[in-house]
Amino acid sequence: MDENPGLSEEYRRASPWPLFVALGLPIAELGILFGLVPLAVGGLLLFFGSIAGILRENSYVSSTWRGLAALSLVVVALGLAIWYWDGTTQSDLLVRAYSVLGTGVLMLLAGVGGELFAQDAEPTL
Amino acid sequence: METTGQLLLTVLMGAFLLGVAAFLARVEDWRSYTPLGAGGGAVGESGYGHAEKPAGLIRWFTTVDHKDIGLLYGLYATIAFVVGGLMVMLMRAELTTPATDVLGSATFYNSLLTSHGITMLFLFGTPIIAAFANYLVPLIIGADDMAFPRINAIAFWLLPPAALLIWAGFFPIPEVIPAQTAWTMYTPLSAGVGNGNQMNVGVDLMLLGLHLSGVSATMGAINFIATIFTERAEEVTWANLDIFSWTILTQSGLILFAFPLLGSALVMLLLDRNFATTFFAVEGGGPILWQHLFWFFGHPEVYILVLPPMGIVSYVLPRFSGRKLFGFKFVVYSTLAIGVLSFGVWAHHMFATGIDPRLRASFMAVSLAIAIPSAVKTFNWITTMWNGKLRLTAPMLFCIGFVSNFIIGGVTGVFLASIPVDLVLHDTYYVVGHFHYIVMGAITFAGMAGIYYWFPLVTGRWYQRTLAKAHFWLWMIGTNVTFFAMVLLGYGGMPRRYATFLPQFATLHQIATLGAFMLLVGGVIWVYNIYVSWIEGPHVQSGDPWRLDETSLNTAEWDWFDAKRETSLAATDGGEEVKADGGEVVDGAPADDAADDE
Ligand code: HEM
Ligand SMILES: [Cu+2]
């Protein structure tokens, strides 16, 4: 990474995203561990949404939507992995697998949809 | 979970996400018309925002400035220290009588014991070090900020949820009870096997919280390594890199290898508990596997906690000895040696488990060897002070206290490293005495040395000198009373981790409790002093409050402070009477004289 704090004019000493990355992770973990669908979905959205926000803020991606779409692949992969594990253990992991997969698909749709239709809403950072 | 519950949760989650969206929209607005270059938001005369203003509060939630994050870490660690300290005061109160007369239940005692250990090591120890490192390392090595400022902020913000999860069992949530596994979380107890109550979700929540704190520490470590490698100013070379940054670098390396392992072991334990895997089950990997994994993390963890405090002492102690650190190179080498060796000693925590005697002997050899670099450091601190011009300021007193307590802690450790001795003393209060001499007597003392030493740098004000010295003496005496009594209890055969004991141990336990109350009083004085002095302490009168220039021992962070003072608009009203702690000249008379008369 060639992040160069203090040199690039993009650099700021404040960012709203880290707090929500840090909140999203435990919520998602709780949701997935205990099979609580709303927490799993919401936590993953918060976590990856905020990462997408950071990627945009750093100009690693040109829009938050693209970041979201790219990250959705990670979530889908995680969902598939849980789906696979469901077959290998006695525990019932299907609900967890579906909620993670569902979140991934949701993110992909949001990313693609946002990129196509919501360009103007993208805040000019 | 039944449908209504899921629905309720969905609504709550939805409302929460909407709240986040609203907050983000607001922050984006705020950002579009607030100039952000100078650190964002309202900046008070000390250089920090006013927390009471809404803009000020948002500033703290969104900051990626290493100094702000350092302060957040410091606040967090202080809160955790108070919580962990109050927990242990309840335990010490319980231990004044042989039966469970005070708390009424051994279960509650066990919960406090578990939470005290985890809180102090993971929520106080690691974060207080991160506080110093975040604030100071970039200043000392001349970096603009950390290499990855946002990752820095994420690492901090993972900690509050971690604390909530770790303490969740104590909150009045139905059917959630606190973990009673002790900080080592040994299986099979922690796997919830048997008829006990450790299958409770409270244990899962604690494991998750611990996992989060590990993620946080790892992110921080990566950041420090990247910062020290790539962000140094041109004039800062490897040859003249300061000792504190060296210890942070080594510590970060240890974290990088140790914490991910803890994280994986915790995930395995969670899987065993919730999804019927058999990593630590007798028919699978076996309970001893947990001990190996835990201590492969756990022993490096104790050095993760002690190396940076050693760095602080190596950094601060020479300033008040009037001379440079004796044998600087060897202090660096011994730091690196400890870093490497600390991965080769973990089984000294398992001498009594019946592992192969040949393995045991080799772990004994390495454990004895690691005492050598520790001793090298100790001799270097002593020789630095030898024939020096000592100024017994509060930070210096805490440094000397560190050296003294570290010697007792280290020597008791060497005895434990010897297998025959350990087989007698293992799981007695002797071990508790040993490691508290280090975690309280050394690590926490160094933290206090750092807090008093850099208090003027951070706040631009002086703390109350008399209170600081009262704090030191209460703690120095309190630490030795408490933990030496524990060493003696261990010799007597008092096993650790019990809420009750045989009447013959009562006197020593009461003495230990007396010492603990001295620690409590000292701690209250410390919090009061820091709080009041931060708000209304007298302003420092120069950019070199400790008069380091006189002995040519000035360092980069004070140059930064000096420059900040000069450019700052804050007027220094010279009329105030300043009681400097052996530092600046007060009322025409050198503060040394003032410091001498006590
Ligand atoms: C320098 C910082 C040190 C710290 C922070 C530290 C910390 C600890 C801690 C926390 C324990 C307790 C583990 C448990 O729950 O059972 C412990 C035990 C032990 N320590 Fe240290 N220690 C330090 C130095 C040393 C040294 C220098 C040695 C030996 C050369 C040593 C040898 C031991 C041994 C053998 C045990 C296991 C005792 C037992 O459980 O029977 N320690 N130490
Ligand atoms: Cu050890």
Side-chain angles (χ1 to χ4, degrees):
Chain A
M1 286 194 240
D2 62 354
E3 194 176 26
N4 243 343
L7 299 177
S8 132
E9 45 178 28
E10 273 283 331
Y11 176 68
R12 296 176 197 83
R13 299 206 140 188
S15 164
W17 304 111
L19 174 63
F20 297 113
V21 175
L23 281 180
L25 182 63
I27 295 177
E29 283 187 347
L30 283 173
I32 295 174
L33 180 68
F34 296 121
L36 303 171
V37 179
L39 291 192
V41 176
L44 284 172
L45 283 179
L46 189 57
F47 180 66
F48 285 103
S50 307
I51 292 183
I54 287 188
L55 293 179
R56 167 68 191 92
E57 199 173 60
N58 281 341
S59 309
Y60 291 156
V61 293
S62 57
S63 86
T64 314
W65 301 118
R66 283 180 186 226
L68 203 63
L71 289 169
S72 73
L73 300 180
V74 180
V75 182
V76 169
L78 179 68
L80 288 176
I82 300 179
W83 197 39
Y84 168 75
W85 289 327
D86 177 66
T88 62
T89 63
Q90 292 155 6
S91 316
D92 180 13
L93 303 178
L94 274 184
V95 173
R96 296 172 172 87
Y98 291 151
S99 42
V100 175
L101 269 175
T103 312
V105 173
L106 219 61
M107 282 167 61
L108 189 65
L109 289 179
V112 173
E115 185 68 19
L116 292 178
F117 302 113
Q119 281 297 6
D120 296 340
E122 176 73 10
T124 38
L125 288 172
Chain B
M1 181 180 274
E2 78 304 4
T3 333
T4 30
Q6 288 276 17
L7 271 177
L8 187 68
L9 215 53
T10 314
V11 172
L12 282 178
M13 192 67 223
F16 175 68
L17 286 180
L18 280 176
V20 170
F23 175 84
L24 284 171
R26 188 168 162 217
V27 170
E28 292 296 329
D29 268 1
W30 158 76
R31 285 169 68 185
S32 53
Y33 39 74
T34 310
L36 286 149
V43 177
E45 81 183 304
S46 59
Y48 306 109
H50 295 286
E52 73 275 18
K53 292 186 198 167
L57 205 58
I58 288 184
R59 169 203 157 94
W60 288 105
F61 282 116
T62 57
T63 182
V64 295
D65 178 331
H66 69 97
K67 296 193 293 304
D68 289 353
I69 292 177
L71 289 175
L72 287 172
Y73 268 113
L75 177 68
Y76 178 91
T78 305
I79 294 172
F81 188 61
V82 170
V83 172
L86 292 178
M87 284 175 171
V88 83
M89 289 319 299
L90 291 178
M91 290 158 57
R92 281 312 327 170
E94 169 57 65
L95 292 172
T96 48
T97 66
T100 51
D101 299 326
V102 180
L103 298 179
S105 115
T107 313
F108 186 47
Y109 178 91
N110 293 345
S111 312
L112 290 172
L113 170 92
T114 304
S115 215
H116 163 74
I118 291 187
T119 300
M120 287 307 199
L121 292 177
F122 296 93
L123 306 182
F124 163 67
T126 319
I128 191 74
I129 293 168
F132 286 113
N134 262 295
Y135 201 100
L136 295 166
V137 167
L139 295 182
I140 296 176
I141 67 173
D144 292 328
D145 203 312
M146 298 289 287
F148 310 118
R150 290 178 190 80
I151 290 191
N152 202 22
I154 296 174
F156 171 74
W157 287 111
L158 284 172
L159 285 177
L164 291 181
L165 289 172
I166 287 171
W167 298 331
F170 290 101
F171 301 149
I173 313 171
E175 294 180 44
V176 180
I177 62 168
Q180 296 156 47
T181 57
W183 84 282
T184 48
M185 300 167 287
Y186 275 11
T187 51
L189 175 66
S190 62
V193 175
N195 299 324
N197 54 10
Q198 292 304 287
M199 201 53 220
N200 191 272
V201 283
V203 182
D204 293 304
L205 295 178
M206 183 194 78
L207 296 175
L208 268 185
L210 214 49
H211 186 255
L212 276 186
S213 85
V215 174
S216 156
T218 311
M219 292 175 86
I222 293 170
N223 216 339
F224 282 117
I225 293 175
T227 305
I228 295 176
F229 265 89
T230 64
E231 303 286 318
R232 276 174 292 137
E234 247 160 65
E235 66 274 16
V236 181
T237 61
W238 287 117
N240 65 16
L241 185 64
D242 66 283
I243 187 65
F244 181 61
S245 301
W246 269 115
T247 56
I248 290 295
L249 185 64
T250 314
Q251 181 223 27
S252 300
L254 295 185
I255 289 180
L256 207 55
F257 287 100
F259 268 92
L261 187 117
L262 173 73
S264 320
L266 287 171
V267 170
M268 287 155 74
L269 187 54
L270 281 167
L271 292 178
D272 266 15
R273 292 173 57 86
N274 293 285
F275 302 110
T277 53
T278 56
F279 291 111
F280 306 115
V282 178
E283 65 273 23
I288 291 291
L289 175 63
W290 170 263
Q291 295 195 22
H292 279 296
L293 293 180
F294 180 83
W295 286 116
F296 186 85
F297 148 81
H299 188 86
E301 164 70 1
V302 306
Y303 281 98
I304 287 167
L305 288 170
V306 85
L307 283 177
M310 286 170 159
I312 292 179
V313 170
S314 307
Y315 196 91
V316 173
L317 184 135
R319 320 271 155 230
F320 299 107
S321 306
R323 45 196 301 210
K324 291 208 167 66
L325 181 63
F326 182 89
F328 179 91
K329 268 192 192 171
F330 288 91
V331 180
V332 174
Y333 293 152
S334 60
T335 303
L336 299 174
I338 290 178
V340 173
L341 287 177
S342 66
F343 281 101
V345 300
W346 79 86
H348 67 212
H349 297 272
M350 302 165 61
F351 284 159
T353 54
I355 56 173
D356 188 321
R358 287 162 298 182
L359 275 180
R360 229 169 37 174
S362 57
F363 277 101
M364 165 168 148
V366 185
S367 299
L368 292 172
I370 207 169
I372 296 169
S374 308
V376 167
K377 284 171 179 290
T378 309
F379 288 124
N380 278 299
W381 293 319
I382 295 174
T383 33
T384 302
M385 289 189 285
W386 190 263
N387 275 341
K389 189 171 170 295
L390 301 195
R391 284 191 284 159
L392 293 181
T393 61
M396 182 61 166
L397 287 174
F398 275 101
C399 286
I400 297 173
F402 171 102
V403 176
S404 158
N405 292 333
F406 181 73
I407 290 174
I408 303 182
V411 169
T412 47
V414 177
F415 280 98
L416 286 173
S418 153
I419 298 168
V421 181
D422 184 71
L423 290 180
V424 177
L425 293 175
H426 175 65
D427 262 344
T428 68
Y429 261 74
Y430 184 91
V431 177
V432 184
H434 153 65
F435 67 79
H436 278 92
Y437 259 103
I438 292 176
V439 291
M440 177 69 200
I443 295 172
T444 312
F445 270 50
M448 294 301 151
I451 288 173
Y452 285 119
Y453 179 64
W454 284 299
F455 188 82
L457 180 95
V458 172
T459 64
R461 295 173 185 267
W462 280 108
Y463 53 82
Q464 297 189 34
R465 177 175 73 155
T466 324
L467 288 184
K469 293 197 171 154
H471 172 203
F472 169 76
W473 286 110
L474 277 166
W475 271 27
M476 190 63 196
I477 298 169
T479 299
N480 281 279
V481 168
T482 309
F483 301 119
F484 206 76
M486 292 192 183
V487 169
L488 296 178
L489 278 168
Y491 283 137
M494 167 78 206
R496 62 194 283 204
R497 294 176 176 149
Y498 279 88
T500 56
F501 51 82
L502 297 176
Q504 77 223 42
F505 296 118
T507 313
L508 281 171
H509 266 307
Q510 284 154 1
I511 292 174
T513 301
L514 177 76
F517 272 95
M518 297 173 77
L519 295 174
L520 177 70
V521 175
V524 170
I525 292 177
W526 167 65
V527 173
Y528 171 83
N529 191 5
I530 295 297
Y531 178 74
V532 168
S533 306
W534 198 309
I535 291 174
E536 51 180 41
H539 291 282
V540 300
Q541 304 289 328
S542 86
D544 180 21
W546 294 113
R547 294 186 297 128
L548 301 172
D549 273 335
E550 287 172 19
T551 40
S552 311
L553 290 167
N554 204 0
T555 46
E557 81 275 22
W558 294 108
D559 292 340
W560 166 85
F561 177 67
D562 196 24
K564 188 180 89 168
R565 263 176 63 87
E566 258 151 44
T567 53
S568 137
L569 295 174
T572 35
D573 38 347
E576 266 180 280
E577 202 181 294
V578 179
K579 272 208 167 175
D581 191 0
E584 328 181 297
V585 177
V586 179
D587 280 345
D592 252 0
D593 298 351
D596 283 347
D597 59 29
E598 46 199 298

